[in-house]
Amino acid sequence: MPADLSLRALRGHALLALGYVAFAFFVLFPIVWIFLMSLKSFGDIIAYPPRFLFTPTLENYVEVLFGGEAERAAGEIPDLLRFLMNSVIISGGAVLVSIVLAVPAAYALARRRTGGARNIQFTFLSFRFAPELSIILPLYVIYTRTGLYDTYAGMILVHQLITLPLSVLILASFFRDIPHEIEEAARVDGANVLRILVSIVVPIARPGIASAMIIAFIFSWNNLIFGLVLAGGATRPVTMGILQSMTFDQIKWGLMAASAMVSALPGMVAAILFQRQITRGLTLGAVK
């Protein structure tokens, strides 16, 4: 290989590596900063200039997870465990409802080549484009008048705006990858559409269903605006619980950082454990 080509290739690899490092720094810096803040005492947090060398403490984590009931009742520290349980119920329920609805809908979009299939699919996609703030005020009025405000059923229902479009789009892509010949053979043997869907398509698309559930759960878990407007004291999710560290006279940065790290943990663990499924689901469901 000529020397100039080798030098050019080396320079390209160096620039690529530099780009990766810069991107990783851009993505990870906020997480690392919040993690360090969660390990600092209040004096180290408010110190100026910022202290990068300090004695780490788990006091913030102990307080948000195992703090006294009196302080929780008084609103002095967030009741993080209760908020976590609310998020598990809301996001888990929303994902289960979405999968039950999304499987037949996605199968119909993938297999029935009707003229309106693309329009229907684009309509599902537009639900993700629409800003949540544009619909939250009418939803608040509807929820307060129908009794859905501050109920698990209401929160699970509104989270369908997040989880259902994602699930349909991702599953439709997976269903299209299943060979038609398998279904045609079953149809020759006398199986109807429901039997084909339940006994053949769903077992084959199980990895895709798992991907859709994981991605929908992460998006639902991280949602803030629905909990901010439509949840009250009984169903407040963990994203809203983090804000409980802000009182009228101060912001407890250490508690807020510890709460943020604890609340982000399920999403991080899921992303690490199921990164292959998440990547495939996002690329198939979002790009096709």
Side-chain angles (χ1 to χ4, degrees):
M1 179 182 294
D4 56 339
L5 289 179
S6 177
L7 183 60
R8 189 180 304 171
L10 184 62
R11 190 180 302 165
H13 288 304
L15 288 175
L16 187 61
L18 187 61
Y20 282 137
V21 171
F23 181 73
F25 179 80
F26 177 77
V27 172
L28 295 178
F29 179 76
I31 300 174
V32 174
W33 184 268
I34 292 175
F35 177 66
L36 293 177
M37 185 186 292
S38 70
L39 298 177
K40 289 181 177 179
S41 63
F42 184 73
D44 290 329
I45 292 175
I46 63 173
Y48 184 81
R51 293 176 184 168
F52 293 97
L53 297 177
F54 59 91
T55 302
T57 176
L58 295 177
E59 182 181 345
N60 295 317
Y61 288 96
V62 172
E63 193 167 354
V64 296
L65 291 174
F66 310 109
E69 293 185 4
E71 289 85 356
R72 297 182 194 280
E76 296 177 1
I77 57 176
D79 193 354
L80 195 62
L81 293 179
R82 184 167 63 86
F83 298 143
L84 283 170
M85 184 55 64
N86 286 341
S87 284
V88 169
I89 294 173
I90 294 169
S91 298
V95 169
L96 290 178
V97 173
S98 290
I99 287 300
V100 172
L101 298 175
V103 167
Y107 180 69
L109 287 175
R111 287 292 183 260
R112 303 301 176 189
R113 302 285 183 183
T114 59
R118 285 186 176 277
N119 294 331
I120 295 172
Q121 190 161 351
F122 182 77
T123 302
F124 276 105
L125 190 60
S126 67
F127 289 153
R128 291 303 308 142
F129 292 156
E132 293 156 353
L133 285 174
S134 63
I135 59 170
I136 198 65
L137 288 180
L139 279 176
Y140 175 77
V141 175
I142 294 171
Y143 268 50
T144 52
R145 292 187 178 181
T146 57
L148 288 173
Y149 176 79
D150 196 20
T151 63
Y152 288 121
M155 292 301 294
I156 290 172
L157 186 62
V158 76
H159 274 242
Q160 297 308 304
L161 295 173
I162 304 170
T163 55
L164 186 57
L166 279 173
S167 301
V168 170
L169 291 173
I170 294 172
L171 288 177
S173 297
F174 276 97
F175 288 158
R176 288 193 189 98
D177 289 343
I178 298 176
H180 291 261
E181 291 77 9
I182 299 176
E183 300 175 37
E184 290 172 358
R187 199 169 288 115
V188 170
D189 290 338
N192 57 24
V193 175
L194 181 61
R195 180 69 180 275
I196 292 173
L197 177 62
V198 174
S199 302
I200 297 176
V201 175
V202 169
I204 294 175
R206 199 175 298 163
I209 294 175
S211 300
M213 293 180 70
I214 295 166
I215 294 169
F217 184 84
I218 292 174
F219 274 78
S220 174
W221 184 277
N222 292 330
N223 179 266
L224 170 66
I225 191 67
F226 291 147
L228 181 65
V229 179
L230 301 178
T235 61
R236 189 166 291 149
V238 70
T239 47
M240 272 297 299
I242 297 172
L243 301 180
Q244 297 296 303
S245 302
M246 300 172 61
T247 60
F248 70 94
D249 59 344
Q250 66 172 323
I251 300 175
K252 299 178 180 178
W253 294 108
L255 298 185
M256 182 178 287
S259 301
M261 291 306 301
V262 172
S263 66
L265 199 58
M268 291 182 181
V269 172
I272 293 172
L273 293 179
F274 305 104
Q275 54 181 313
R276 182 177 298 177
Q277 289 85 351
I278 292 173
T279 303
R280 185 170 184 229
L282 284 174
T283 52
L284 285 176
V287 176
K288 273 187 176 181

